[in-house]
Amino acid sequence: MPISGVDSLFPLADARARAAARPFIDDLRMRAGGAGEEAADAENLLACLGQSPRHETLLNAIFYAAPFLRDTIMRDPGFTAVILAAPDPAAILDGVIADLAAQLAAASDEKTLKETLRCSRLRMALGVGLLDLGNVWTAREVSEGLSAFADAAVGGAVDWLIRDSMGKGAIIGLDPRRPGRGSHYIVLAMGKYGARELNYSSDIDLVVSYDPKAAPLAADIEASRFFVRLTRKLVQALQDRTAQGYVFRVDLRLRPDPRATNVAIAVETVARYYENFGQNWERAAMIKARPVAGDLAAGAALLGRLSGFIWRKHLDFAAILDVQSLKRQMHSAKGCGSVAVRGHNIKLGRGGIREIELFVQTQQLIAGGRTPALRGRMTLEMLDMLAQTGWIAAATADEMKAAYRFLRAIEHRLQMVNDEQTHSLPTDEDVFSRFVAFAGYIGDRAFETALESVLKTVERHYSALFEHSSGLGACSSNLVFTGTGDDPGTLETLSRLGFVKVLEIAATIRSWHFSRFPATRSARSRGRLTEIMPALLRALSKVDDPDGAFFAFDRFLSGLPSGVQIFSLLWSNPKFLDLIAMIMGTSPRLARELSRRPQIFDAVLDPDFFGPFPKAEAIAHLVEDAFDGAAMLEERLDRARIIGHEQMFRIGVRVLSDTVDAAEAGCAYTRLADRLAAQLFKACRDEFAQVHGHLPGGEAVVLALGKWGGCEMTAKSDLDMILIYETADDAAMSDGPKPLMAGRYYVRLTKRLVAALCAPSAEGILYTVDMRLRPSGKAGPLATHIASFATYHKESAWGWERMALTRARIVAGDARLSQEVEKTISAILRQPCSTRKLRRDVGAMRRHLIKEFGARGRWDIKHARGGLTDIEFITQFLQLAHGARHEPILHHNTATALKRLAGEGLLGAAPLNLLLSAHEFYQRLTQVMGLCMPDGVGPEKMPRELVGLLLKACYEPDLSALESRLADTKERVFALFENIVAPITQ
């Protein structure tokens, strides 16, 4: 059929089109006035235009609206004339393809190879454009013609490169006429190219592989290096831009794990990847895969092997979820987004080409395993087959086919304008109107009406297919993490959610789907992860630093040995998504802990997680059970750290979630430290005795002080401790293989205990230990004899050391010695003292601390004037001043001691209420700040979520009110300190 029916372009037969064409017609006339082949070509084209007004209308339209086609015509007017004048222009394009094969066979070098390919491509692009615009070819025929040329170009280039390698002796034993056969070099076409559905300016997606064992390479040729180099030359031959342009942009990113693999991959690696790690979108992509170059038989064998990966014979619940995951990865859920015209992406937008393709491929994946007739590559054919097999109604197939043809025709026209891989309609009014006319419509509104109708039809059928999808994955915009490239809509959505490093985040999520971590190795875990992805991103976006929270989650994910359980939990309990986001976004300490040891998240899976904290006995049983069966001390240390980190994480999450108060958290942290210290002390003694034996009558206890002794620990608390011992004969030696005297024995045992508590192991550090409260501090021995302890505190101790003893508490050791130590401490604290001297000593100590630590800012809760230290000093001063006559006040916990002081009539109601209220207020602040904030950083520099936690914990409406309350509380507490203890003049 000749090119004559150009009625579709009659809107451009107006003055604007003629005016746009006039300079180029004049240029052709000037050329025709010359001599030689160029003049003859120009004259022939002018003759065609003069003989047919329709041809003139066609070229006027091109000159007006399509710069790429215009320039191609002016470059090759003779070929343009041949196409216009031919009774069967399609046969001319067949000739272009046939000539290409002959010319490639004769090409002597890579330069000639490239020139031949590009000249043929320009003629093909020109001819296809003219046949499309001249109503000779339908949109489908345009795609098939472009695909046929691609087969010739890719196949011819591969054959040339293999022949060239044969000439260099790198590959041997092949037929030069068909060098691909038997080469075991496989080029698979994917996507639209595989389905013979290329668009006008399409990229071509290729997956390249080779068989290193079967390829007939010379003995000294390494297969991987050879075939990777061959593939790179192929890409250069097709993609490099020269004076003649390019042939095809080549995309190799559909190969398995493209960030970690070469451009050409061994066949066995390809097969194992798809069989073990293949993703849903890769299943859909492989539906269209087709061998196009190299060893076609080997390519067909590879696809045959992958058939089981693509086509699942049994459709179970997990498979349905996989299909739904695919849909959510590639497009938004039902009801998301809207149909538009100006600027609308007719490929990826709502109601676009991608939705038609996915509508077909999804049902192919569901049913193709049992119905081989549904395993075809071409969209239109499979729509018919879906109708024939009863999967869709015939009317649905007809409507989707018509929509597909319409959209593909528009797509071709869009790309003919500037030879660009674009799918978006213009937004500029003038450019849009020009394109509407180029597409064959009179007036913008006519085109808009037609396009809107098509888009809404596609959207209706597409949405109906997934109308029962889970709401968890619903999103406000597209979230596409398939393939290897960045989807603009996805980046926009991430940015709108509040993420900043959107490119890095999108790449990271794609890497999850490429099985980067063990947690995403299985198809089921990837399906679950895809299901929760929109909700997860929404949850992470709610925190003040969404990027930080996201990358903290990535670190958490990297440590998971398996993802199915956790992803299934989050899928079935979306509230845990907010918990995860809260941890990642508000507590760097917990996020780091979770990233290093993701297994501690198991604590959250406990049905009693939000119930009461375990009692001391329950913690003891938990630790004992963990130690059971661990013969070596090192193994017990690791198990102690596992239990400790898991339980500290649990307490921290409860603090973050505001499901426990500060006192409960302090007691929980303390109970845990008590039981771990007791068990580790026992383990260290047992292991130590195996080497050094026992001392006659030897006993020891661990004395806790500070916040540990006072049952007020936080996530950051050290363990202040002293080891006290006693023997029947201090001069005796222990009875082990390596005997030691008492003092050295218990010093070394103390070192062993300190290492057990704070030395790093494979499971990290458990606690930091501080032994500076022992008699004589750093100058004294690590282990203290009970007699030396008693003598020191009765005769030589500083006032602050006696104050520290008010919080002393036995946490581990022998029962008899425990009773003796408790009596000794009680006697020390009940020792009569001079109140005047005590005031002087406590005041001096307080002044010293203010001088050393008092400039840490308004958010210093511990050392600042009126802070926790002042409450503790008030309490301890009163305990030492009145302990001789009021023994009940000698309690290790500050709040309890204050209440007992009031009960004994030693503290008035007003001071008691102030101190208890301030103490509780400070404890709430320190629990949250200890969990979430680095030292020296106040809430004004922290994310709003942390500030929100503080406000919630302290029942304040905003940060200003909290700061005001803190300043007022400090002022009142400090005034009380000066009134009760001693004035501070500094």
Side-chain angles (χ1 to χ4, degrees):
M1 173 180 166
I3 295 177
S4 59
V6 292
D7 292 336
S8 66
L9 291 174
F10 71 86
L12 291 177
D14 59 13
R16 292 175 301 165
R18 289 193 298 273
R22 187 172 297 115
F24 301 99
I25 300 298
D26 290 344
D27 182 60
L28 287 172
R29 287 176 178 147
M30 288 182 61
R31 293 191 206 178
E37 185 177 347
E38 181 180 3
D41 289 343
E43 187 174 350
N44 288 338
L45 180 54
L46 289 171
C48 283
L49 300 183
Q51 293 169 5
S52 172
R54 290 180 177 272
H55 289 165
E56 182 181 356
T57 298
L58 174 60
L59 260 63
N60 286 347
I62 290 171
F63 290 155
Y64 174 67
F68 166 71
L69 279 178
R70 177 197 67 203
D71 293 345
T72 307
I73 289 170
M74 297 302 291
R75 180 188 294 226
D76 198 350
F79 182 74
T80 306
V82 169
I83 289 287
L84 291 176
D88 183 7
I92 303 298
L93 297 187
D94 292 340
V96 170
I97 293 174
D99 290 345
L100 174 61
Q103 291 168 12
L104 289 178
S108 59
D109 52 35
E110 289 187 36
K111 180 181 179 182
T112 307
L113 168 70
K114 291 182 178 181
E115 288 178 353
T116 301
L117 287 168
R118 282 151 183 76
C119 290
S120 295
R121 188 263 172 174
L122 284 173
R123 287 197 161 185
M124 193 71 190
L126 175 57
V128 168
L130 292 173
L131 266 64
D132 181 3
L133 296 170
N135 288 334
V136 176
W137 271 0
T138 64
R140 176 170 178 170
E141 288 171 320
V142 168
S143 293
E144 291 177 342
L146 292 168
S147 301
F149 174 76
D151 286 354
V154 176
V158 168
D159 285 350
W160 190 94
L161 291 169
I162 293 177
R163 277 196 299 268
D164 184 61
S165 298
M166 292 170 61
K168 296 175 181 177
I171 190 166
I172 57 179
L174 300 176
D175 182 354
R177 294 170 299 175
R178 294 181 176 178
R181 180 182 295 179
S183 66
H184 292 276
Y185 179 66
I186 302 168
V187 180
L188 298 180
M190 309 292 288
K192 286 184 171 60
Y193 180 24
R196 303 182 190 275
E197 295 173 342
L198 283 179
N199 48 57
Y200 188 79
S201 293
S202 183
D203 297 349
I204 55 173
D205 296 296
L206 303 178
V207 170
V208 180
S209 60
Y210 60 92
D211 189 338
K213 296 179 180 179
L217 298 176
D220 60 340
I221 300 298
E222 196 274 318
S224 174
R225 183 175 299 178
F226 173 80
F227 286 115
V228 166
R229 187 180 180 194
L230 186 71
T231 303
R232 287 176 176 157
K233 286 187 174 182
L234 172 63
V235 172
Q236 292 168 359
L238 297 171
Q239 186 169 275
D240 283 358
R241 288 188 176 271
T242 69
Q244 292 83 26
Y246 70 103
V247 188
F248 290 104
R249 292 173 295 267
V250 179
D251 193 337
L252 297 173
R253 293 174 297 171
L254 287 182
R255 69 184 186 274
D257 199 0
R259 297 202 304 177
T261 57
N262 283 319
V263 293
I265 312 173
V267 167
E268 191 62 29
T269 301
V270 172
R272 283 201 308 268
Y273 170 84
Y274 286 124
E275 290 164 357
N276 295 311
F277 307 122
Q279 302 175 55
N280 295 314
W281 69 266
E282 288 172 310
R283 290 178 62 209
M286 291 301 294
I287 289 175
K288 296 179 179 292
R290 176 173 62 92
V292 293
D295 197 330
L296 301 183
L302 174 59
L303 290 181
R305 179 173 175 179
L306 298 179
S307 178
F309 159 66
I310 306 168
W311 309 112
R312 299 179 179 178
K313 293 183 178 180
H314 305 289
L315 184 64
D316 57 9
F317 180 71
I320 294 173
L321 283 179
D322 284 349
V323 172
Q324 291 178 341
S325 299
L326 173 63
K327 171 256 181 180
R328 287 192 176 86
Q329 284 181 318
M330 299 181 76
H331 266 290
S332 61
K334 178 182 177 182
C336 300
S338 60
V339 167
V341 174
R342 284 172 173 78
H344 192 75
N345 188 310
I346 63 169
K347 176 182 178 181
L348 299 177
R350 295 299 300 171
I353 295 168
R354 178 61 60 83
E355 289 193 353
I356 301 174
E357 294 171 337
L358 189 54
F359 177 86
V360 173
Q361 291 169 348
T362 298
Q363 295 178 89
Q364 286 182 276
L365 291 179
I366 292 173
R370 294 173 295 177
T371 309
L374 291 175
R375 299 181 186 180
R377 299 184 180 97
M378 301 187 74
T379 302
L380 294 175
E381 289 180 355
M382 287 301 99
L383 281 167
D384 284 333
M385 194 55 64
L386 285 170
Q388 290 178 26
T389 53
W391 279 89
I392 61 176
T396 299
D398 290 341
E399 290 181 350
M400 292 294 262
K401 286 162 58 181
Y404 185 76
R405 294 188 186 102
F406 177 91
L407 292 172
R408 293 306 304 274
I410 297 301
E411 180 184 39
H412 292 319
R413 299 288 172 93
L414 276 172
Q415 295 177 356
M416 285 177 193
V417 173
N418 286 307
D419 192 25
E420 294 176 339
Q421 176 70 340
T422 182
H423 304 91
S424 296
L425 292 165
T427 54
D428 179 84
E429 287 293 332
D430 181 64
V431 177
F432 181 81
S433 295
R434 183 179 301 186
F435 175 76
V436 166
F438 187 60
Y441 286 84
I442 301 176
D444 295 358
R445 189 57 203 155
F447 175 75
E448 291 171 348
T449 300
L451 180 60
E452 286 176 354
S453 175
V454 168
L455 297 177
K456 289 178 179 178
T457 296
V458 174
E459 181 185 34
R460 173 166 48 84
H461 291 307
Y462 175 77
S463 298
L465 180 63
F466 297 101
E467 63 184 357
H468 300 298
S469 298
S470 166
L472 181 64
C475 56
S476 59
S477 293
N478 289 354
L479 283 172
V480 181
F481 299 110
T482 58
T484 57
D486 292 315
D487 171 62
T490 297
L491 300 181
E492 181 182 349
T493 298
L494 291 173
S495 179
R496 189 166 57 249
L497 285 171
F499 296 98
V500 176
K501 299 178 180 178
V502 294
L503 291 172
E504 190 174 349
I505 288 171
T508 300
I509 295 174
R510 285 198 302 275
S511 75
W512 297 345
H513 291 288
F514 277 117
S515 308
R516 172 181 164 209
F517 299 140
T520 59
R521 292 275 164 81
S522 73
R524 187 179 176 196
S525 66
R526 291 194 300 273
R528 282 291 193 226
L529 177 61
T530 301
E531 285 289 316
I532 67 171
M533 186 59 63
L536 172 65
L537 290 172
R538 282 200 303 273
L540 293 172
S541 73
K542 295 176 185 177
V543 305
D544 194 54
D545 180 14
D547 289 49
F550 174 85
F551 291 112
F553 183 82
D554 178 65
R555 291 189 293 273
F556 163 64
L557 205 61
S558 70
L560 288 176
S562 172
V564 172
Q565 182 187 18
I566 182 65
F567 299 153
S568 296
L569 169 78
L570 297 174
W571 183 81
S572 58
N573 297 278
K575 65 180 181 180
F576 283 121
L577 285 168
D578 292 328
L579 180 61
I580 283 274
M582 178 180 66
I583 293 169
M584 300 301 170
T586 63
S587 177
R589 173 183 292 269
L590 290 183
R592 284 194 303 270
E593 195 67 36
L594 196 56
S595 300
R596 292 170 185 161
R597 302 174 190 85
Q599 66 273 13
I600 65 176
F601 196 73
D602 290 345
V604 179
L605 309 185
D606 188 334
D608 297 326
F609 178 78
F610 287 103
F613 282 127
K615 300 296 184 184
E617 297 79 7
I619 292 290
H621 289 312
L622 191 66
V623 177
E624 288 170 3
D625 290 344
F627 278 23
D628 187 35
M632 302 296 291
L633 178 62
E634 288 74 15
E635 187 177 357
R636 293 186 177 188
L637 299 187
D638 280 340
R639 294 188 182 187
R641 280 153 176 73
I642 291 171
I643 291 294
H645 291 308
E646 179 180 296
Q647 292 301 314
M648 283 187 270
F649 176 79
R650 177 176 185 171
I651 298 166
V653 172
R654 294 292 301 277
V655 171
L656 283 187
S657 59
D658 196 34
T659 55
V660 293
D661 61 29
E664 289 177 312
C667 288
Y669 280 124
T670 302
R671 278 197 298 270
L672 177 63
D674 288 354
R675 301 322 304 166
L676 288 171
Q679 288 293 332
L680 288 175
F681 183 49
K682 181 179 182 300
C684 288
R685 292 181 77 175
D686 292 345
E687 190 262 353
F688 196 77
Q690 292 177 12
V691 179
H692 302 290
H694 298 87
L695 284 162
E699 294 184 345
V701 297
V702 176
L703 187 68
L705 301 107
K707 288 188 179 297
W708 185 18
C711 299
E712 298 170 351
M713 291 182 69
T714 70
K716 296 172 67 173
S717 293
D718 297 341
L719 298 186
D720 293 294
M721 59 176 257
I722 302 173
L723 188 137
I724 301 175
Y725 70 92
E726 186 178 32
T727 65
D729 182 359
D730 294 341
M733 301 288 286
S734 63
D735 58 8
K738 296 182 178 181
L740 296 170
M741 290 187 67
R744 187 167 180 78
Y745 183 98
Y746 283 108
V747 166
R748 291 186 62 177
L749 176 60
T750 303
K751 290 181 178 178
R752 187 69 56 88
L753 174 60
V754 171
L757 289 167
C758 66
S761 77
E763 297 296 333
I765 295 174
L766 189 56
Y767 293 105
T768 300
V769 174
D770 190 342
M771 299 196 69
R772 290 175 297 176
L773 292 178
R774 67 186 186 272
S776 299
K778 292 182 179 180
L782 284 179
T784 306
H785 194 284
I786 178 62
S788 300
F789 179 83
T791 300
Y792 178 83
H793 278 284
K794 288 177 181 178
E795 299 177 0
S796 306
W798 294 85
W800 65 267
E801 291 178 299
R802 291 183 63 206
M803 291 166 63
L805 280 187
T806 63
R807 310 185 80 180
R809 183 171 56 88
I810 303 292
V811 295
D814 299 294
R816 190 204 62 78
L817 183 58
S818 294
Q819 293 177 359
E820 184 176 348
V821 171
E822 287 173 349
K823 290 179 182 178
T824 300
I825 293 174
S826 178
I828 293 168
L829 296 178
R830 288 187 292 110
Q831 183 178 343
C833 66
S834 167
T835 303
R836 179 179 298 177
K837 182 178 185 303
L838 182 62
R839 290 184 191 279
R840 186 168 60 249
D841 289 348
V842 176
M845 184 63 187
R846 190 67 187 100
R847 282 190 289 272
H848 170 74
L849 292 177
I850 290 175
K851 183 178 180 180
E852 185 173 355
F853 301 108
R856 292 189 172 186
R858 62 181 180 275
W859 288 99
D860 177 16
I861 296 169
K862 180 178 180 180
H863 296 292
R865 295 171 187 251
L868 265 174
T869 297
D870 281 332
I871 297 176
E872 292 166 356
F873 273 28
I874 290 171
T875 306
Q876 292 160 10
F877 167 79
L878 293 173
Q879 287 177 298
L880 294 179
H882 303 288
R885 296 184 301 276
H886 301 273
E887 186 174 356
I889 68 176
L890 299 176
H891 194 276
H892 53 267
N893 179 262
T894 301
T896 301
L898 286 170
K899 293 174 185 176
R900 292 188 179 186
L901 284 165
E904 294 289 313
L906 303 172
L907 187 65
L912 173 67
N913 290 335
L914 169 60
L915 291 173
L916 286 179
S917 174
H919 187 262
E920 183 184 10
F921 175 48
Y922 292 159
Q923 288 295 326
R924 290 193 194 118
L925 287 172
T926 54
Q927 286 293 353
V928 175
M929 294 176 72
L931 192 65
C932 301
M933 300 182 182
D935 292 330
V937 176
E940 71 277 3
K941 295 182 180 179
M942 297 304 291
R944 66 173 183 270
E945 284 72 28
L946 299 188
V947 176
L949 284 173
L950 288 177
L951 297 178
K952 189 175 182 181
C954 300
Y955 311 108
E956 292 296 339
D958 53 46
L959 186 58
S960 176
L962 179 61
E963 290 177 334
S964 176
R965 177 182 172 186
L966 179 60
D968 178 68
T969 301
K970 286 181 179 179
E971 183 178 345
R972 294 171 64 200
V973 169
F974 189 69
L976 191 60
F977 174 88
E978 292 195 306
N979 182 50
I980 293 177
V981 182
I984 305 298
T985 57
Q986 292 183 337

